[in-house]
Amino acid sequence: MNRRSGIDSKSNILNAALKIFSEYGYRGASMRMIAHNAKISVGGLYIHFKNKEELCLTLMKKRLGDLSQELKKALEGVKNPVEAITLFITINLEYAKRHKELILTQSKERGFTFGLGLKRSFFKKQRTLIEEILKKGIDSGDFSECDVKETTKIIMGTLRGFVLSMVVDAYNLFTPEECSKLILYGLLRRNDKPANEKTNEFKGRS
Amino acid sequence: MNRRSGIDSKSNILNAALKIFSEYGYRGASMRMIAHNAKISVGGLYIHFKNKEELCLTLMKKRLGDLSQELKKALEGVKNPVEAITLFITINLEYAKRHKELILTQSKERGFTFGLGLKRSFFKKQRTLIEEILKKGIDSGDFSECDVKETTKIIMGTLRGFVLSMVVDAYNLFTPEECSKLILYGLLRRNDKPANEKTNEFKGRS
DNA sequence: CATTCATATGAACAGACGTTCAGGAATAGA
DNA sequence: TCTATTCCTGAACGTCTGTTCATATGAATG
């Protein structure tokens, strides 16, 4: 019997779980599939994780934490709200591209309440971040007056759509730039330049 | 035993299936649950539907067909592209609100290839519709020049985001007006009025 | 060498699943 | 009333599920 260290096994299992969960969803993935993919026995899984739920939760926690930190770090020094929004969108989309798998797993399942708390607190953090950017942008005159909370919800929704479209249909790989442009400028032709042109790195749409 | 007409049973089953699928997803819903909810026996299901797959497919087909027709009819007489986009968004969102259930079922599952063809052709139809509106809008000067195909993809993505946010978190009930405004005007403050003011029924964002 | 310990195995369990089928019940036409 | 047809039932089948457990392995410690 080839005996491995517990640590190796644990990370093997996590890698396998990620692969299987993202291919078959939470319900579609079986512990046997994960075990087989991790080259361990079914029983072995239960040495490292209490059960299927905990295994999936561990994966989600890690990923959401990573993204949270990445966002926070990136936005730390940024003063210009237009740039901040763009960065926010870009990082989210790129993270999504890198980790398609778990996003699918999450959006695919339901009736599994166990990820809920995690996700709620993550989205709340994201909302707060955007709200602050918006407020700054309105104060500085870059953004037009709007209901901050409402607009934040809409931006989050929009972003979720971008992410899901990308993840669901691989061919839907629109660039972060295009997404930012739509959110910032909208569809309509504008005859003016953005209010704060010097700080704006994007070409206007007219 | 109370014997009912086959037609009644079939529609009972479809209603029950809709309820159960949308609550538990395709994999999570069992034929027993559906049968119980439709007040019929398990075997009875198989009189009206070949199997679980066909049952779900029937539901999807009906819903996508309905929405398709509704969109087509609503957009028939509309000339103004701004109005058309707004209408497109509004109808989609309202349809989503009315039929949260199945949307969830669809976005929750994967590895079920069977809905794919249906969905593909539906989305293609939608894309064509938007592309035509965009082209008209650019020609008329309402919209700024843009890559029509790319922008269409983005709009579809945005819309998908709105829909999913609404459906996933019930409290995310932003109005169609707000969504349309973001897509049309964007976040940035604009100092001008939209190019074709007289035809535009929304207040500008400045 | 003997003991201890974390790690690993895979057969076994109880339950749920989709699907089938022999049989029963209600209706319609004769 | 008899028969054909349609609709329905629920036990049964085989397969899969998440989880447990008696058992075994290999390395480290004494």
Side-chain angles (χ1 to χ4, degrees):
Chain A
M1 179 94 350
N2 243 351
R3 199 166 166 278
R4 296 164 304 186
S5 91
I7 297 170
D8 274 6
S9 288
K10 191 153 182 167
S11 99
N12 277 351
I13 293 173
L14 281 171
N15 286 337
L18 180 59
K19 213 185 303 176
I20 302 296
F21 275 137
S22 50
E23 185 157 356
Y24 299 95
Y26 180 76
R27 277 189 151 110
S30 81
M31 294 302 263
R32 280 165 181 81
M33 289 161 95
I34 294 170
H36 182 260
N37 201 282
K39 292 179 203 324
I40 203 178
S41 66
V42 218
L45 294 180
Y46 288 84
I47 293 167
H48 300 280
F49 299 93
K50 210 181 72 195
N51 51 28
K52 191 181 180 184
E53 189 173 310
E54 199 202 70
L55 177 49
C56 185
L57 211 57
T58 307
L59 280 174
M60 285 176 49
K61 207 182 256 164
K62 182 159 170 11
R63 284 297 148 90
L64 289 184
D66 283 0
L67 176 54
S68 246
Q69 211 159 13
E70 207 169 308
L71 276 170
K72 207 176 136 197
K73 210 182 287 178
L75 289 177
E76 232 155 33
V78 181
K79 287 253 170 0
N80 174 7
V82 174
E83 199 182 323
I85 287 279
T86 311
L87 212 54
F88 185 88
I89 295 168
T90 306
I91 289 177
N92 262 287
L93 285 181
E94 262 162 18
Y95 196 86
K97 216 194 301 183
R98 250 190 345 244
H99 298 297
K100 286 188 181 196
E101 330 85 29
L102 254 204
I103 293 168
L104 268 176
T105 307
Q106 287 181 63
S107 59
K108 240 174 307 171
E109 293 308 327
R110 213 172 87 93
F112 77 145
T113 355
F114 65 87
L116 218 80
L118 251 178
K119 278 187 274 180
R120 274 216 209 296
S121 91
F122 172 75
F123 279 122
K124 193 170 169 188
K125 241 187 263 172
Q126 292 234 74
R127 268 204 302 277
T128 315
L129 241 105
I130 297 189
E131 280 172 18
E132 270 162 29
I133 297 176
L134 281 186
K135 272 184 221 151
K136 267 198 258 170
I138 295 174
D139 283 349
S140 71
D142 287 295
F143 298 156
S144 52
E145 301 278 347
C146 62
D147 181 330
V148 170
K149 284 207 181 285
E150 190 68 16
T151 308
T152 300
K153 271 203 274 184
I154 294 182
I155 293 180
M156 296 276 292
T158 314
L159 194 55
R160 187 193 312 231
F162 290 155
V163 167
L164 277 170
S165 301
M166 236 175 59
V167 158
V168 172
D169 305 320
Y171 80 103
N172 257 334
L173 266 183
F174 30 64
T175 61
E177 286 80 22
E178 287 289 338
C179 298
S180 307
K181 259 204 278 190
L182 182 80
I183 288 188
L184 289 172
Y185 299 99
L187 261 186
L188 281 183
R189 181 198 196 94
R190 38 174 74 224
N191 299 320
D192 68 329
K193 294 285 172 198
N196 227 338
E197 177 70 332
K198 66 179 183 305
T199 60
N200 173 18
E201 301 190 288
F202 292 95
K203 283 162 279 163
R205 291 195 139 246
S206 60
Chain B
M1 182 87 352
N2 245 349
R3 195 166 167 282
R4 296 164 305 187
S5 89
I7 296 170
D8 274 6
S9 288
K10 190 153 184 167
S11 99
N12 277 349
I13 293 173
L14 281 171
N15 285 338
L18 181 58
K19 213 185 303 178
I20 301 296
F21 275 137
S22 50
E23 186 157 355
Y24 300 95
Y26 181 76
R27 279 193 151 108
S30 81
M31 295 302 263
R32 281 167 182 80
M33 289 160 94
I34 294 170
H36 183 260
N37 202 282
K39 292 177 202 322
I40 203 178
S41 66
V42 216
L45 294 180
Y46 288 85
I47 294 167
H48 301 281
F49 300 94
K50 210 180 72 195
N51 52 28
K52 190 181 179 183
E53 189 172 313
E54 198 202 70
L55 178 49
C56 186
L57 211 58
T58 307
L59 281 174
M60 284 175 50
K61 205 182 257 164
K62 183 162 172 3
R63 284 296 147 90
L64 289 183
D66 283 359
L67 175 54
S68 244
Q69 210 159 13
E70 206 170 308
L71 276 170
K72 207 175 137 197
K73 209 182 284 178
L75 289 176
E76 232 155 34
V78 181
K79 287 255 168 5
N80 175 5
V82 174
E83 200 183 324
I85 287 278
T86 310
L87 213 54
F88 185 88
I89 294 169
T90 306
I91 290 177
N92 262 287
L93 285 181
E94 261 161 20
Y95 196 87
K97 216 192 303 181
R98 250 191 344 245
H99 298 298
K100 286 187 180 197
E101 331 84 30
L102 252 204
I103 294 168
L104 268 175
T105 306
Q106 288 181 61
S107 58
K108 243 174 306 172
E109 293 307 329
R110 213 173 87 94
F112 75 147
T113 354
F114 66 86
L116 219 80
L118 252 179
K119 279 188 274 180
R120 274 217 209 296
S121 91
F122 172 76
F123 279 122
K124 193 170 169 188
K125 239 187 261 171
Q126 292 235 74
R127 268 203 302 277
T128 315
L129 243 108
I130 297 189
E131 281 171 18
E132 270 162 28
I133 297 176
L134 281 185
K135 272 183 221 152
K136 266 199 256 169
I138 295 174
D139 283 350
S140 71
D142 287 293
F143 297 155
S144 51
E145 302 278 348
C146 61
D147 181 329
V148 171
K149 283 208 182 285
E150 189 70 16
T151 307
T152 300
K153 268 202 275 184
I154 295 181
I155 293 181
M156 296 276 291
T158 313
L159 194 55
R160 187 189 317 225
F162 290 154
V163 167
L164 279 172
S165 302
M166 236 175 58
V167 159
V168 171
D169 305 320
Y171 81 103
N172 258 332
L173 266 182
F174 28 65
T175 62
E177 286 81 20
E178 288 288 338
C179 298
S180 306
K181 259 204 276 190
L182 182 79
I183 289 188
L184 289 171
Y185 298 98
L187 262 187
L188 282 184
R189 180 200 196 94
R190 41 174 70 226
N191 299 321
D192 68 328
K193 297 282 175 197
N196 228 339
E197 178 70 333
K198 66 179 183 305
T199 60
N200 173 18
E201 300 190 291
F202 291 94
K203 284 163 279 162
R205 291 194 138 245
S206 60

